[in-house]
Amino acid sequence: MKSFRYISIVLVALIALVSCKDNMRELNTNSDLVDDTQVKYMFTGATLNFDFSGRSTPNYYNSLHKVMQYHVYYTLKSDPYRDPALDGAVYPSFLDGVCYGELFTQDKGNRLQSIITYIDTQVSEDDQAKYADIRAICEGMIAFLQWRVLENYGATVYSEAFKAISENITQPKYEFIEDIWSLIDATFKKTISQLSSPAVSGVVTLGSSDFFASWKSSPVEGGGVALTQISDNNQCRKAWLRFFNMQRLEIAWKLQNVQSSNFETVYNECKSVGDGYMKNIDEGFYFHYAHDYLCEDDMQEPESYHAVSEPFINFLCANADPRLPLLARPNGATEETSITFNMMRKYFPDSLDKYPFLDGEHPYIGMSPNPAKQGLLLNKENSSDPNQFINNYVITFNGLKNPNGTAQFKFKDKNGQEYEYCEEGKATFDASILLASQTQYRYWVMCGARHNADHAYGGNGIAGLGSATYYTKYHGDGDTEDEGGRTGLAVRGRVFTYAKQCFLLAEIGKEFAGKSASDWYKEGVKAAFQELLGEAQRTRIQAFTGGDEFSSTSKKYPESLIQSLSPIRKTLYTFPYSYSESDIDEYIARHPFSRENLGDQVWVYGFLDPYTSWTWWRKTGYPQFKEHATPEAAAAEDHAYLEQPYVKDGGKKLMPRRGCLPDRNALNPNYSEAKTHLLSLPGFGDWEETENGVWWDAGNVNL
């Protein structure tokens, strides 16, 4: 009797379990039930903010932006990569937060695997096909994230990853690219095959929860951005297909030196995929941010302490690059843009004579990444001492005496514009002139909202944002626009754009879709110009925001004056700033297709995508390191170049090309074995010699 009772209990439990599973399946497949969209909500959580989760944006901006020499920290202090006093400093894990972290610390890989597990275990067999697209996208995204870990470290957990619940594997082992690159490629191929096939009837879609392919953003007149949902699932499927197909080809290209036969196979397969490549910039693959983490407070360092690097400014200026105003801000050392400079020129000309380049003719000046080469910023009186560079790129004149006693300064610039400076009643005051240019950092700020740097030196007219009108209207905390509510998601991250695809196909050098390498190069440069112009408009970059917000740069200048200026100086007079198709064509004519010119363009393009420019440099060696005997020689350099950072006693600190595996022994039982294996690879060097590359990089680009 007791045995029968036990058997009855077991049968009841089994029936209940089956019923429970059936109910869970019904929740996921019955269109009349509220929880039908659970999978797409899970996808939103798994990919939330993608590369820039939380407050990691400034860290990402600091690391790769400084390494690729887009900007320089204003004192070079506390920078282990460039500070001469820190000879032993290294980047032990370098891109840990961006690469390894997005799989585990930020939990993206685990969450994506949970979706796959949910589909496999909780969706009925009859409905599995309806979820096949979502499952394939999740598998492809995991492979994409795994690849970036491998690209940075040379090893990652792979086969045993994300199996803590399903198989009770809480200590996954490391595996190596030599063993698993083919598995990653096979995953991409499988995903591409699924998305190439016709969608089944009743397919379950990600819909509005897909912030990659289901949204399109465009600027609206007066500021802000409009978000438009793409409801056509076929369009969304094609967007994912193009991304995975081109990403697969890019990986094969990066491994071409060591897997040449694999590259030829992948190239031919990717070439044959219908709708497998992007045809214009509108088909670029982006991520639209759903949270406001990318806010003004997170960008305190870029907006306050970073100057555009000398190599970056030199290349843009030497080639009269029309994109310069969209990448760098004019400094405060020109008559047209600086109230302080005009005031100092009139009342204190002797003070200006102490410094070079304070002649009103250099709206854009960069800082050298090399502390020993800060000559451009030296005080003339201390030019013999290489340590006496201006330590914060702002020249401050303290305790100036008001020549008008207690009255305000009142003066006119050469165009007749009247200015006032200094509060009434003050007999002495301090004045500052920003000598080096700042980066245009609004690309990373939600809705392009201004913050401290836009008016930190407002008195000298660098930015001239004298009121909080723009901040209140476009970046407040209310629910409506009048209350300061956000008008949409202005920040979007590049994942795989049309320009990037064009540059990749140009570098591969084969005919693709009827275009030669030269054709793809021209298409890539055009797309890079057009994409940047669109992003600048969307995020309200300074050069676009002429008008009432700009007290000193909203003037309308005579056309005769504008036409008499050099191309670079013209940019200070045109609001909103733009360039035409003919400007782009003229630029391409001056920079025809060559591998070095291609490397130049990828580097400039990487200002908004530094991960691409860093991996491109590792693969191709462009931009190259070049030494120049004088600042004048550097300013005249035709091609993009990088400066080799120096340390004490003439030694060199080379640029990082990889990271060290994060020391997570509790999770990775074979960490020591993985370390030993990597150290045995040719060219890997010592563990903390991050200037040595992982094994598939071509040559030593640090030489």
Side-chain angles (χ1 to χ4, degrees):
M1 189 69 176
K2 183 181 293 187
S3 299
F4 177 78
R5 185 166 59 249
Y6 286 153
I7 293 173
S8 299
I9 293 173
V10 171
L11 289 174
V12 170
L14 289 173
I15 293 172
L17 180 60
V18 171
S19 176
C20 179
K21 286 188 175 182
D22 286 341
N23 287 334
M24 292 183 70
R25 287 169 179 157
E26 184 184 11
L27 285 173
N28 200 44
T29 57
N30 187 337
S31 60
D32 295 326
L33 296 179
V34 175
D35 286 348
D36 175 55
T37 55
Q38 183 175 0
V39 169
K40 68 180 184 180
Y41 290 148
M42 291 170 68
F43 186 82
T44 300
T47 58
L48 191 64
N49 283 331
F50 197 53
D51 274 340
F52 300 123
S53 296
R55 291 178 174 264
S56 65
T57 306
N59 295 328
Y60 183 70
Y61 187 92
N62 280 339
S63 60
L64 282 180
H65 261 264
K66 285 194 295 187
V67 165
M68 293 312 298
Q69 299 186 9
Y70 296 114
H71 73 232
V72 183
Y73 193 73
Y74 76 113
T75 64
L76 301 177
K77 299 296 183 182
S78 304
D79 187 343
Y81 174 46
R82 294 196 176 92
D83 188 348
L86 301 174
D87 289 335
V90 293
Y91 282 103
S93 59
F94 195 48
L95 293 179
D96 178 38
V98 176
C99 292
Y100 194 95
E102 63 191 6
L103 283 173
F104 301 101
T105 308
Q106 298 167 14
D107 219 24
K108 288 179 173 56
N110 281 315
R111 288 172 179 263
L112 288 167
Q113 182 61 48
S114 294
I115 297 174
I116 295 172
T117 302
Y118 181 88
I119 293 173
D120 289 347
T121 61
Q122 304 302 329
V123 174
S124 67
E125 293 181 6
D126 293 338
D127 290 327
Q128 286 284 325
K130 297 179 181 179
Y131 288 83
D133 282 0
I134 295 178
R135 192 184 191 286
I137 289 172
C138 290
E139 284 190 323
M141 284 301 294
I142 290 176
F144 171 62
L145 297 175
Q146 289 281 27
W147 162 253
R148 293 207 295 186
V149 175
L150 287 163
E151 188 170 35
N152 189 33
Y153 303 116
T156 186
V157 296
Y158 190 81
S159 299
E160 294 184 354
F162 322 125
K163 294 184 177 180
I165 297 177
S166 61
E167 299 181 30
N168 197 32
I169 299 177
T170 59
Q171 295 180 327
K173 67 179 182 180
Y174 278 110
E175 293 169 286
F176 310 105
I177 187 65
E178 308 100 289
D179 304 321
I180 60 175
W181 67 265
S182 58
L183 299 179
I184 292 178
D185 184 71
T187 299
F188 277 117
K189 186 175 181 179
K190 178 182 175 183
T191 298
I192 291 165
S193 176
Q194 172 61 35
L195 296 175
S196 298
S197 61
V200 300
S201 176
V203 61
V204 177
T205 69
L206 292 170
S208 61
S209 294
D210 174 7
F211 286 95
F212 294 92
S214 293
W215 291 95
K216 181 178 181 180
S217 58
S218 56
V220 295
E221 186 176 355
V225 61
L227 277 181
T228 304
Q229 184 184 349
I230 300 173
S231 57
D232 184 347
N233 183 56
N234 189 47
Q235 289 188 42
C236 297
R237 294 181 90 233
K238 288 182 178 180
W240 280 107
L241 171 64
R242 292 189 293 264
F243 163 60
F244 286 122
N245 196 48
M246 287 296 101
Q247 184 61 57
R248 184 189 180 209
L249 180 58
E250 183 189 44
I251 294 174
W253 166 67
K254 288 179 177 177
L255 292 172
Q256 183 179 8
N257 295 327
V258 291
Q259 299 289 349
S260 58
S261 61
N262 174 67
F263 169 75
E264 293 297 331
T265 299
V266 172
Y267 174 80
N268 290 325
E269 290 179 352
C270 290
K271 185 178 178 181
S272 66
V273 174
D275 294 317
Y277 71 99
M278 305 164 200
K279 300 175 181 62
N280 52 61
I281 61 172
D282 291 334
E283 293 186 350
F285 199 70
Y286 299 89
F287 183 86
H288 302 84
Y289 292 95
H291 274 188
D292 60 354
Y293 287 127
L294 306 187
C295 62
E296 68 284 348
D297 292 334
D298 289 340
M299 301 307 290
Q300 180 178 354
E301 284 203 3
E303 70 185 9
S304 303
Y305 304 115
H306 294 163
V308 184
S309 77
E310 184 179 298
F312 198 55
I313 288 290
N314 281 349
F315 177 70
L316 295 172
C317 287
N319 291 279
D321 195 314
R323 292 169 291 185
L324 176 58
L326 306 183
L327 299 169
R329 299 179 174 210
N331 58 23
T334 61
E335 293 182 58
E336 295 81 22
T337 61
S338 175
I339 298 173
T340 303
F341 185 85
N342 279 281
M343 183 270 296
M344 296 296 292
R345 172 67 62 84
K346 180 174 182 177
Y347 296 110
F348 306 98
D350 293 343
S351 297
L352 298 183
D353 289 342
K354 292 182 179 181
Y355 299 94
F357 292 94
L358 286 180
D359 54 12
E361 295 298 322
H362 293 79
Y364 298 97
I365 295 178
M367 285 186 71
S368 172
N370 183 350
K373 288 186 166 184
Q374 292 288 338
L376 284 181
L377 304 185
L378 289 176
N379 182 321
K380 288 181 179 179
E381 297 177 353
N382 297 303
S383 58
S384 61
D385 184 352
N387 295 317
Q388 295 299 317
F389 57 87
I390 296 171
N391 69 343
N392 63 355
Y393 67 80
V394 175
I395 303 173
T396 300
F397 305 90
N398 297 311
L400 296 172
K401 185 177 181 180
N402 189 331
N404 295 333
T406 60
Q408 291 177 298
F409 287 115
K410 292 185 178 181
F411 58 91
K412 296 181 180 180
D413 66 12
K414 66 180 182 180
N415 298 301
Q417 177 72 33
E418 186 172 87
Y419 295 102
E420 295 183 355
Y421 191 92
C422 185
E423 294 180 17
E424 187 172 1
K426 287 189 176 181
T428 61
F429 63 98
D430 301 333
S432 298
I433 294 178
L434 181 65
L435 181 58
S437 296
Q438 292 177 297
T439 58
Q440 294 282 17
Y441 66 86
R442 284 188 184 177
Y443 296 107
W444 295 274
V445 183
M446 187 66 69
C447 290
R450 70 160 179 85
H451 193 47
N452 294 337
D454 282 348
H455 59 84
Y457 304 104
N460 65 22
I462 296 165
L465 281 175
S467 70
T469 302
Y470 180 73
Y471 179 86
T472 302
K473 186 174 182 180
Y474 296 109
H475 199 71
D477 296 322
D479 295 328
T480 67
E481 182 174 319
D482 291 339
E483 295 174 353
R486 293 166 178 79
T487 57
L489 304 179
V491 176
R492 67 177 186 181
R494 293 174 175 176
V495 183
F496 209 116
T497 65
Y498 178 63
K500 179 178 178 179
Q501 171 194 274
C502 293
F503 290 143
L504 171 64
L505 295 176
E507 174 64 24
I508 288 174
K510 294 172 173 284
E511 181 275 334
F512 191 100
K515 290 186 176 70
S516 66
S518 178
D519 294 333
W520 283 114
Y521 168 78
K522 293 175 184 177
E523 283 288 306
V525 177
K526 287 182 180 180
F529 271 75
Q530 293 165 346
E531 286 177 16
L532 182 64
L533 200 62
E535 289 300 310
Q537 185 178 3
R538 292 173 65 262
T539 51
R540 302 280 291 175
I541 294 302
Q542 262 195 332
F544 266 105
T545 49
D548 294 340
E549 296 111 343
F550 279 76
S551 59
S552 65
T553 53
S554 61
K555 302 182 293 296
K556 303 300 181 183
Y557 294 95
E559 186 64 24
S560 59
L561 170 63
I562 296 176
Q563 293 304 319
S564 68
L565 298 171
S566 67
I568 296 300
R569 291 181 65 76
K570 282 182 183 180
T571 64
L572 301 178
Y573 294 83
T574 307
F575 296 93
Y577 178 72
S578 185
Y579 38 73
S580 65
E581 288 284 344
S582 61
D583 293 330
I584 301 173
D585 291 338
E586 188 272 336
Y587 181 88
I588 294 174
R590 289 188 285 115
H591 301 82
F593 174 60
S594 70
R595 287 200 70 227
E596 188 166 13
N597 281 340
L598 176 57
D600 293 346
Q601 296 309 308
V602 172
W603 183 56
V604 175
Y605 183 74
F607 182 85
L608 291 184
D609 186 10
Y611 190 85
T612 288
S613 60
W614 181 60
T615 56
W616 185 280
W617 166 76
R618 289 168 51 187
K619 166 69 174 174
T620 67
Y622 293 111
Q624 297 177 325
F625 292 106
K626 296 183 181 180
E627 299 295 333
H628 301 95
T630 64
E632 291 75 18
E637 174 64 55
D638 290 336
H639 290 287
Y641 69 93
L642 300 174
E643 286 189 359
Q644 207 51 284
Y646 284 76
V647 295
K648 290 187 298 186
D649 302 323
K652 292 183 179 180
K653 183 170 292 183
L654 304 178
M655 290 175 61
R657 294 173 63 204
R658 60 165 173 82
C660 302
L661 283 176
D663 191 355
R664 291 174 168 81
N665 291 319
L667 295 178
N668 311 111
N670 68 333
Y671 173 84
S672 297
E673 291 83 354
K675 181 176 179 179
T676 300
H677 175 83
L678 291 172
L679 287 170
S680 70
L681 297 176
F684 193 88
D686 291 338
W687 189 243
E688 293 185 345
E689 289 180 350
T690 56
E691 67 272 14
N692 292 319
V694 284
W695 66 282
W696 57 82
D697 286 334
N700 191 334
V701 294
N702 269 309
L703 295 178

